[in-house]
PDB file of all heavy atoms in Angstrom:
ATOM      1  N   PHE A1356     166.270  34.385  47.649  1.00  0.00           N
ATOM      2  CA  PHE A1356     166.594  35.678  48.244  1.00  0.00           C
ATOM      3  C   PHE A1356     166.180  36.854  47.360  1.00  0.00           C
ATOM      4  O   PHE A1356     166.297  38.007  47.768  1.00  0.00           O
ATOM      5  CB  PHE A1356     168.087  35.752  48.558  1.00  0.00           C
ATOM      6  CG  PHE A1356     168.381  35.746  50.031  1.00  0.00           C
ATOM      7  CD1 PHE A1356     167.936  34.695  50.826  1.00  0.00           C
ATOM      8  CD2 PHE A1356     169.066  36.771  50.634  1.00  0.00           C
ATOM      9  CE1 PHE A1356     168.190  34.665  52.182  1.00  0.00           C
ATOM     10  CE2 PHE A1356     169.319  36.762  51.997  1.00  0.00           C
ATOM     11  CZ  PHE A1356     168.882  35.714  52.773  1.00  0.00           C
ATOM     12  N   GLY A1357     165.703  36.577  46.140  1.00  0.00           N
ATOM     13  CA  GLY A1357     165.256  37.660  45.266  1.00  0.00           C
ATOM     14  C   GLY A1357     166.357  38.257  44.423  1.00  0.00           C
ATOM     15  O   GLY A1357     166.349  39.459  44.130  1.00  0.00           O
ATOM     16  N   ALA A1358     167.317  37.430  43.981  1.00  0.00           N
ATOM     17  CA  ALA A1358     168.464  37.929  43.219  1.00  0.00           C
ATOM     18  C   ALA A1358     168.032  38.536  41.895  1.00  0.00           C
ATOM     19  O   ALA A1358     167.254  37.948  41.145  1.00  0.00           O
ATOM     20  CB  ALA A1358     169.449  36.790  42.966  1.00  0.00           C
ATOM     21  N   VAL A1359     168.547  39.705  41.608  1.00  0.00           N
ATOM     22  CA  VAL A1359     168.321  40.395  40.337  1.00  0.00           C
ATOM     23  C   VAL A1359     169.655  40.702  39.665  1.00  0.00           C
ATOM     24  O   VAL A1359     169.869  40.387  38.502  1.00  0.00           O
ATOM     25  CB  VAL A1359     167.524  41.703  40.554  1.00  0.00           C
ATOM     26  CG1 VAL A1359     167.465  42.520  39.267  1.00  0.00           C
ATOM     27  CG2 VAL A1359     166.109  41.399  41.038  1.00  0.00           C
ATOM     28  N   ASN A1360     170.552  41.325  40.407  1.00  0.00           N
ATOM     29  CA  ASN A1360     171.820  41.812  39.869  1.00  0.00           C
ATOM     30  C   ASN A1360     172.951  40.811  40.081  1.00  0.00           C
ATOM     31  O   ASN A1360     174.023  41.147  40.562  1.00  0.00           O
ATOM     32  CB  ASN A1360     172.190  43.150  40.519  1.00  0.00           C
ATOM     33  CG  ASN A1360     172.207  43.058  42.037  1.00  0.00           C
ATOM     34  OD1 ASN A1360     171.388  42.377  42.640  1.00  0.00           O
ATOM     35  ND2 ASN A1360     173.147  43.745  42.666  1.00  0.00           N
ATOM     36  N   SER A1361     172.716  39.552  39.714  1.00  0.00           N
ATOM     37  CA  SER A1361     173.720  38.518  39.960  1.00  0.00           C
ATOM     38  C   SER A1361     173.907  37.634  38.739  1.00  0.00           C
ATOM     39  O   SER A1361     173.010  37.478  37.912  1.00  0.00           O
ATOM     40  CB  SER A1361     173.321  37.649  41.160  1.00  0.00           C
ATOM     41  OG  SER A1361     172.204  36.849  40.846  1.00  0.00           O
ATOM     42  N   ILE A1362     175.105  37.071  38.652  1.00  0.00           N
ATOM     43  CA  ILE A1362     175.455  36.114  37.610  1.00  0.00           C
ATOM     44  C   ILE A1362     176.051  34.896  38.302  1.00  0.00           C
ATOM     45  O   ILE A1362     176.880  35.039  39.206  1.00  0.00           O
ATOM     46  CB  ILE A1362     176.476  36.706  36.618  1.00  0.00           C
ATOM     47  CG1 ILE A1362     175.876  37.912  35.879  1.00  0.00           C
ATOM     48  CG2 ILE A1362     176.933  35.671  35.606  1.00  0.00           C
ATOM     49  CD1 ILE A1362     176.879  38.654  35.015  1.00  0.00           C
ATOM     50  N   ILE A1363     175.645  33.706  37.900  1.00  0.00           N
ATOM     51  CA  ILE A1363     176.202  32.469  38.450  1.00  0.00           C
ATOM     52  C   ILE A1363     177.082  31.832  37.391  1.00  0.00           C
ATOM     53  O   ILE A1363     176.637  31.565  36.270  1.00  0.00           O
ATOM     54  CB  ILE A1363     175.100  31.484  38.875  1.00  0.00           C
ATOM     55  CG1 ILE A1363     174.222  32.103  39.962  1.00  0.00           C
ATOM     56  CG2 ILE A1363     175.712  30.180  39.377  1.00  0.00           C
ATOM     57  CD1 ILE A1363     173.055  31.224  40.379  1.00  0.00           C
ATOM     58  N   THR A1364     178.353  31.587  37.733  1.00  0.00           N
ATOM     59  CA  THR A1364     179.293  30.979  36.808  1.00  0.00           C
ATOM     60  C   THR A1364     179.861  29.698  37.397  1.00  0.00           C
ATOM     61  O   THR A1364     179.908  29.516  38.615  1.00  0.00           O
ATOM     62  CB  THR A1364     180.452  31.945  36.481  1.00  0.00           C
ATOM     63  OG1 THR A1364     181.122  32.321  37.688  1.00  0.00           O
ATOM     64  CG2 THR A1364     179.936  33.188  35.783  1.00  0.00           C
ATOM     65  N   ASN A1365     180.294  28.814  36.505  1.00  0.00           N
ATOM     66  CA  ASN A1365     180.890  27.534  36.885  1.00  0.00           C
ATOM     67  C   ASN A1365     182.263  27.456  36.222  1.00  0.00           C
ATOM     68  O   ASN A1365     182.391  27.022  35.081  1.00  0.00           O
ATOM     69  CB  ASN A1365     179.972  26.399  36.435  1.00  0.00           C
ATOM     70  CG  ASN A1365     180.523  25.016  36.702  1.00  0.00           C
ATOM     71  OD1 ASN A1365     180.228  24.075  35.977  1.00  0.00           O
ATOM     72  ND2 ASN A1365     181.329  24.859  37.741  1.00  0.00           N
ATOM     73  N   SER A1366     183.281  27.929  36.943  1.00  0.00           N
ATOM     74  CA  SER A1366     184.586  28.095  36.317  1.00  0.00           C
ATOM     75  C   SER A1366     185.684  28.005  37.364  1.00  0.00           C
ATOM     76  O   SER A1366     185.442  28.141  38.570  1.00  0.00           O
ATOM     77  CB  SER A1366     184.652  29.451  35.603  1.00  0.00           C
ATOM     78  OG  SER A1366     185.928  29.685  35.045  1.00  0.00           O
ATOM     79  N   ASP A1367     186.926  27.804  36.904  1.00  0.00           N
ATOM     80  CA  ASP A1367     188.059  27.942  37.810  1.00  0.00           C
ATOM     81  C   ASP A1367     188.536  29.391  37.773  1.00  0.00           C
ATOM     82  O   ASP A1367     188.150  30.178  36.915  1.00  0.00           O
ATOM     83  CB  ASP A1367     189.178  26.966  37.459  1.00  0.00           C
ATOM     84  CG  ASP A1367     189.727  27.146  36.052  1.00  0.00           C
ATOM     85  OD1 ASP A1367     189.832  28.298  35.587  1.00  0.00           O
ATOM     86  OD2 ASP A1367     190.065  26.128  35.413  1.00  0.00           O
ATOM     87  N   SER A1368     189.390  29.737  38.724  1.00  0.00           N
ATOM     88  CA  SER A1368     189.794  31.131  38.874  1.00  0.00           C
ATOM     89  C   SER A1368     190.619  31.629  37.693  1.00  0.00           C
ATOM     90  O   SER A1368     190.514  32.799  37.300  1.00  0.00           O
ATOM     91  CB  SER A1368     190.575  31.317  40.170  1.00  0.00           C
ATOM     92  OG  SER A1368     191.697  30.456  40.212  1.00  0.00           O
ATOM     93  N   SER A1369     191.420  30.761  37.099  1.00  0.00           N
ATOM     94  CA  SER A1369     192.262  31.193  35.984  1.00  0.00           C
ATOM     95  C   SER A1369     191.427  31.551  34.762  1.00  0.00           C
ATOM     96  O   SER A1369     191.748  32.496  34.031  1.00  0.00           O
ATOM     97  CB  SER A1369     193.287  30.115  35.636  1.00  0.00           C
ATOM     98  OG  SER A1369     192.640  28.902  35.268  1.00  0.00           O
ATOM     99  N   ASN A1370     190.344  30.827  34.540  1.00  0.00           N
ATOM    100  CA  ASN A1370     189.467  31.150  33.414  1.00  0.00           C
ATOM    101  C   ASN A1370     188.688  32.439  33.689  1.00  0.00           C
ATOM    102  O   ASN A1370     188.516  33.278  32.795  1.00  0.00           O
ATOM    103  CB  ASN A1370     188.499  29.998  33.146  1.00  0.00           C
ATOM    104  CG  ASN A1370     187.710  30.191  31.856  1.00  0.00           C
ATOM    105  OD1 ASN A1370     188.243  30.675  30.863  1.00  0.00           O
ATOM    106  ND2 ASN A1370     186.443  29.815  31.880  1.00  0.00           N
ATOM    107  N   LEU A1371     188.213  32.619  34.903  1.00  0.00           N
ATOM    108  CA  LEU A1371     187.537  33.875  35.256  1.00  0.00           C
ATOM    109  C   LEU A1371     188.444  35.072  35.016  1.00  0.00           C
ATOM    110  O   LEU A1371     187.991  36.137  34.572  1.00  0.00           O
ATOM    111  CB  LEU A1371     187.113  33.846  36.721  1.00  0.00           C
ATOM    112  CG  LEU A1371     185.849  33.088  37.100  1.00  0.00           C
ATOM    113  CD1 LEU A1371     185.700  33.090  38.615  1.00  0.00           C
ATOM    114  CD2 LEU A1371     184.612  33.700  36.449  1.00  0.00           C
ATOM    115  N   LEU A1372     189.718  34.905  35.283  1.00  0.00           N
ATOM    116  CA  LEU A1372     190.677  36.000  35.139  1.00  0.00           C
ATOM    117  C   LEU A1372     190.741  36.503  33.699  1.00  0.00           C
ATOM    118  O   LEU A1372     190.952  37.700  33.467  1.00  0.00           O
ATOM    119  CB  LEU A1372     192.053  35.532  35.612  1.00  0.00           C
ATOM    120  CG  LEU A1372     193.226  36.495  35.464  1.00  0.00           C
ATOM    121  CD1 LEU A1372     192.941  37.811  36.160  1.00  0.00           C
ATOM    122  CD2 LEU A1372     194.496  35.860  36.013  1.00  0.00           C
ATOM    123  N   THR A1373     190.544  35.619  32.728  1.00  0.00           N
ATOM    124  CA  THR A1373     190.602  36.051  31.327  1.00  0.00           C
ATOM    125  C   THR A1373     189.454  36.986  30.964  1.00  0.00           C
ATOM    126  O   THR A1373     189.542  37.724  29.989  1.00  0.00           O
ATOM    127  CB  THR A1373     190.589  34.836  30.383  1.00  0.00           C
ATOM    128  OG1 THR A1373     189.342  34.139  30.518  1.00  0.00           O
ATOM    129  CG2 THR A1373     191.724  33.881  30.697  1.00  0.00           C
ATOM    130  N   PHE A1374     188.384  36.967  31.756  1.00  0.00           N
ATOM    131  CA  PHE A1374     187.232  37.830  31.498  1.00  0.00           C
ATOM    132  C   PHE A1374     187.185  39.066  32.394  1.00  0.00           C
ATOM    133  O   PHE A1374     186.640  40.090  32.009  1.00  0.00           O
ATOM    134  CB  PHE A1374     185.925  37.048  31.692  1.00  0.00           C
ATOM    135  CG  PHE A1374     185.696  35.973  30.686  1.00  0.00           C
ATOM    136  CD1 PHE A1374     186.192  34.686  30.892  1.00  0.00           C
ATOM    137  CD2 PHE A1374     185.009  36.240  29.510  1.00  0.00           C
ATOM    138  CE1 PHE A1374     185.981  33.695  29.960  1.00  0.00           C
ATOM    139  CE2 PHE A1374     184.795  35.248  28.565  1.00  0.00           C
ATOM    140  CZ  PHE A1374     185.288  33.975  28.793  1.00  0.00           C
ATOM    141  N   PHE A1375     187.730  38.969  33.590  1.00  0.00           N
ATOM    142  CA  PHE A1375     187.471  40.000  34.608  1.00  0.00           C
ATOM    143  C   PHE A1375     188.741  40.611  35.198  1.00  0.00           C
ATOM    144  O   PHE A1375     188.757  41.005  36.355  1.00  0.00           O
ATOM    145  CB  PHE A1375     186.634  39.399  35.739  1.00  0.00           C
ATOM    146  CG  PHE A1375     185.237  39.017  35.332  1.00  0.00           C
ATOM    147  CD1 PHE A1375     184.852  37.683  35.351  1.00  0.00           C
ATOM    148  CD2 PHE A1375     184.318  39.974  34.948  1.00  0.00           C
ATOM    149  CE1 PHE A1375     183.557  37.317  34.991  1.00  0.00           C
ATOM    150  CE2 PHE A1375     183.030  39.621  34.586  1.00  0.00           C
ATOM    151  CZ  PHE A1375     182.639  38.298  34.606  1.00  0.00           C
ATOM    152  N   LYS A1376     189.807  40.735  34.424  1.00  0.00           N
ATOM    153  CA  LYS A1376     191.030  41.319  34.959  1.00  0.00           C
ATOM    154  C   LYS A1376     190.790  42.771  35.379  1.00  0.00           C
ATOM    155  O   LYS A1376     190.260  43.582  34.630  1.00  0.00           O
ATOM    156  CB  LYS A1376     192.145  41.254  33.928  1.00  0.00           C
ATOM    157  CG  LYS A1376     193.490  41.723  34.476  1.00  0.00           C
ATOM    158  CD  LYS A1376     194.608  41.499  33.477  1.00  0.00           C
ATOM    159  CE  LYS A1376     195.953  41.914  34.093  1.00  0.00           C
ATOM    160  NZ  LYS A1376     197.082  41.682  33.152  1.00  0.00           N
ATOM    161  N   GLY A1377     191.152  43.100  36.627  1.00  0.00           N
ATOM    162  CA  GLY A1377     191.011  44.460  37.135  1.00  0.00           C
ATOM    163  C   GLY A1377     189.585  44.957  37.202  1.00  0.00           C
ATOM    164  O   GLY A1377     189.350  46.160  37.124  1.00  0.00           O
ATOM    165  N   PHE A1378     188.628  44.063  37.418  1.00  0.00           N
ATOM    166  CA  PHE A1378     187.213  44.421  37.291  1.00  0.00           C
ATOM    167  C   PHE A1378     186.498  44.662  38.618  1.00  0.00           C
ATOM    168  O   PHE A1378     185.645  45.538  38.722  1.00  0.00           O
ATOM    169  CB  PHE A1378     186.492  43.305  36.527  1.00  0.00           C
ATOM    170  CG  PHE A1378     185.036  43.564  36.266  1.00  0.00           C
ATOM    171  CD1 PHE A1378     184.634  44.428  35.269  1.00  0.00           C
ATOM    172  CD2 PHE A1378     184.068  42.936  37.025  1.00  0.00           C
ATOM    173  CE1 PHE A1378     183.288  44.654  35.020  1.00  0.00           C
ATOM    174  CE2 PHE A1378     182.718  43.161  36.793  1.00  0.00           C
ATOM    175  CZ  PHE A1378     182.333  44.027  35.781  1.00  0.00           C
ATOM    176  N   PHE A1379     186.803  43.895  39.653  1.00  0.00           N
ATOM    177  CA  PHE A1379     185.960  43.866  40.852  1.00  0.00           C
ATOM    178  C   PHE A1379     186.437  44.826  41.941  1.00  0.00           C
ATOM    179  O   PHE A1379     187.632  45.040  42.140  1.00  0.00           O
ATOM    180  CB  PHE A1379     185.888  42.452  41.420  1.00  0.00           C
ATOM    181  CG  PHE A1379     185.185  41.469  40.526  1.00  0.00           C
ATOM    182  CD1 PHE A1379     185.908  40.555  39.768  1.00  0.00           C
ATOM    183  CD2 PHE A1379     183.809  41.471  40.435  1.00  0.00           C
ATOM    184  CE1 PHE A1379     185.266  39.657  38.939  1.00  0.00           C
ATOM    185  CE2 PHE A1379     183.147  40.577  39.603  1.00  0.00           C
ATOM    186  CZ  PHE A1379     183.879  39.670  38.855  1.00  0.00           C
ATOM    187  N   ASP A1380     185.465  45.365  42.677  1.00  0.00           N
ATOM    188  CA  ASP A1380     185.751  46.181  43.854  1.00  0.00           C
ATOM    189  C   ASP A1380     186.013  45.334  45.082  1.00  0.00           C
ATOM    190  O   ASP A1380     186.816  45.693  45.946  1.00  0.00           O
ATOM    191  CB  ASP A1380     184.564  47.116  44.143  1.00  0.00           C
ATOM    192  CG  ASP A1380     184.281  48.058  43.000  1.00  0.00           C
ATOM    193  OD1 ASP A1380     185.125  48.927  42.735  1.00  0.00           O
ATOM    194  OD2 ASP A1380     183.218  47.915  42.365  1.00  0.00           O
ATOM    195  N   LYS A1381     185.305  44.213  45.193  1.00  0.00           N
ATOM    196  CA  LYS A1381     185.462  43.298  46.326  1.00  0.00           C
ATOM    197  C   LYS A1381     185.484  41.869  45.772  1.00  0.00           C
ATOM    198  O   LYS A1381     184.679  41.523  44.893  1.00  0.00           O
ATOM    199  CB  LYS A1381     184.294  43.412  47.322  1.00  0.00           C
ATOM    200  CG  LYS A1381     184.004  44.821  47.842  1.00  0.00           C
ATOM    201  CD  LYS A1381     184.977  45.256  48.871  1.00  0.00           C
ATOM    202  CE  LYS A1381     184.600  46.541  49.586  1.00  0.00           C
ATOM    203  NZ  LYS A1381     184.067  47.625  48.789  1.00  0.00           N
ATOM    204  N   ILE A1382     186.386  41.063  46.304  1.00  0.00           N
ATOM    205  CA  ILE A1382     186.427  39.645  45.945  1.00  0.00           C
ATOM    206  C   ILE A1382     186.482  38.824  47.233  1.00  0.00           C
ATOM    207  O   ILE A1382     187.413  38.961  48.033  1.00  0.00           O
ATOM    208  CB  ILE A1382     187.633  39.299  45.054  1.00  0.00           C
ATOM    209  CG1 ILE A1382     187.565  40.090  43.736  1.00  0.00           C
ATOM    210  CG2 ILE A1382     187.671  37.796  44.769  1.00  0.00           C
ATOM    211  CD1 ILE A1382     188.734  39.840  42.808  1.00  0.00           C
TER     212      ILE A1382
END
Side-chain angles (χ1 to χ4, degrees):
F1356 249 57
V1359 172
N1360 54 323
S1361 70
I1362 297 173
I1363 299 176
T1364 58
N1365 177 210
S1366 177
D1367 60 37
S1368 57
S1369 60
N1370 189 38
L1371 280 175
L1372 176 56
T1373 64
F1374 293 88
F1375 293 115
K1376 186 174 183 179
F1378 183 77
F1379 294 103
D1380 300 293
K1381 306 283 190 318
I1382 299 178

